[in-house]
Amino acid sequence: MGQFRQISTFVEVVARGSLSAAARAEGIAPAMIGRRLDALEARLGVKLLQRTTRKLALTDEGAAFLEDCQRILAELEEAESAVAERSSHATGHLMISAPAGFGRQHVAPLLPSFLSEHRDVSATLNMSDRVVDIVGEGIDVAIRIASMSDSNLVSIKLADNERVVVGAPAYLKRHGEPKTLADLSKHNCLAISSEGSQRGWTFREDGKNVVLKVNGNMACNDGQVLHEWALAGKGLAWRSMWEVGSAIEAGKLQTVLDGYSAPGNDIYAVFAQRRHLPLRIRAFVDFLRHTYAQPDYWRKSGK
């Protein structure tokens, strides 16, 4: 029990940003929090936090340990809640945030089915491509497609994601298939551009990630538009499989440069660190995870 309390205290201190804030939340003296952290570091034989009177900073060892601790605590809370609430049901209002394109294709169509299974739950879905402030904006769960690094949030992986270069068969017939990254310079590449800045395409070459700025006669800040342009044979696009999987399956788009695919930014459900996660949040996350895990889901969904 003492070891578990030390670990949970460590996670709580990082989440709240100070020993005093963690102490107030638990209703004990800050000195008690400090003693738990000292005991944890002594037991592990490493320094987890650099502590001054003004701020806390994770050491490299502390950052790695924190990720494991958050996962373990989240899984333990999930197991406890599943047992404690097995006979109860989800209630209340669910505030959901999702990227616009992904939310339109892979969250909004599923929400009615979820709510039909949980009739005492209502929901608001906010779709935006900006990174929302989960705590400040009162979001219960945010769907994010990213490499998760925010140690103050809990994330649960919903599905793998891969980004691929695609083109319509008609375009590839006219212009040929690129075989190397250098060949992209000979193609019309349809890129995401926001406020005059192009988001590069990421590939894996010689064991390293390579970000390329591509050239083309059209750019847009809306991924759905790029998808439509690619379907119309206007050029190559670098898109996520969640968006183009069904078009590839239907033969409307074809992947190229598959040997250079970089590890994708996977799909996560993200929420604030909480001791007792409301059943409506856990039920929704489980619903998405189960749905996305169906073998044919990504082939049939979307355009």
Side-chain angles (χ1 to χ4, degrees), residues 18-231:
S18 70
L19 275 67
S20 58
R24 284 194 300 271
E26 196 170 338
I28 60 176
M32 179 65 72
I33 298 292
R35 284 196 287 272
R36 290 178 189 172
L37 293 177
D38 290 340
L40 176 62
E41 291 177 332
R43 180 164 59 84
L44 296 176
V46 296
K47 192 72 174 174
L48 301 175
L49 288 167
Q50 297 291 352
R51 285 178 268 167
T52 69
T53 56
R54 293 186 177 182
K55 65 177 182 178
L56 296 174
L58 284 165
T59 64
D60 290 342
E61 293 81 5
F65 186 59
L66 177 66
E67 184 176 344
D68 289 335
C69 290
Q70 287 178 321
R71 175 181 51 79
I72 291 168
L73 291 175
E75 290 175 353
L76 179 59
E77 288 181 9
E78 184 175 356
E80 289 180 344
S81 296
V83 172
E85 299 180 12
R86 182 167 294 173
S87 61
S88 66
H89 63 283
T91 61
H93 191 70
L94 191 61
M95 293 292 294
I96 308 162
S97 172
F102 185 85
R104 191 179 299 113
Q105 291 189 38
H106 300 292
V107 181
L110 302 179
L111 196 53
S113 295
F114 171 76
L115 295 178
S116 69
E117 293 180 11
H118 302 276
R119 296 188 178 277
D120 291 326
V121 176
S122 58
T124 297
L125 173 59
N126 294 317
M127 297 192 297
S128 172
D129 288 328
R130 68 182 177 85
V131 178
V132 300
D133 179 354
I134 291 178
V135 176
E137 298 181 42
I139 301 298
D140 289 308
V141 57
I143 309 303
R144 290 186 179 171
I145 304 173
S147 299
M148 296 308 303
S149 60
D150 191 334
S151 60
N152 293 325
L153 299 173
V154 176
S155 60
I156 294 178
K157 186 175 177 178
L158 299 177
D160 294 328
N161 182 45
E162 181 183 2
R163 288 183 174 175
V164 293
V165 179
V166 294
Y171 172 87
L172 295 173
K173 184 177 181 179
R174 290 195 308 270
H175 301 281
E177 295 184 22
K179 301 300 183 183
T180 67
L181 298 186
D183 290 343
L184 286 175
S185 63
K186 306 172 187 175
H187 285 266
N188 195 43
C189 297
L190 311 170
I192 284 282
S193 181
S194 179
E195 298 181 355
S197 177
Q198 181 196 127
R199 186 184 305 170
W201 296 8
T202 303
F203 299 96
R204 192 75 173 172
E205 185 176 36
D206 298 328
K208 297 179 181 180
N209 283 358
V210 178
V211 180
L212 295 182
K213 297 292 186 179
V214 295
N215 297 312
N217 65 359
M218 294 191 295
C220 185
N221 64 348
D222 188 308
Q224 181 61 30
V225 171
L226 296 185
H227 185 190
E228 298 291 346
W229 285 344
L231 285 171

Side-chain angles (χ1 to χ4, degrees), residues 281-295:
I281 299 178
R282 192 176 71 251
F284 182 65
V285 170
D286 288 345
F287 176 83
L288 291 182
R289 186 163 51 176
H290 173 75
T291 302
Y292 295 160
Q294 299 305 305

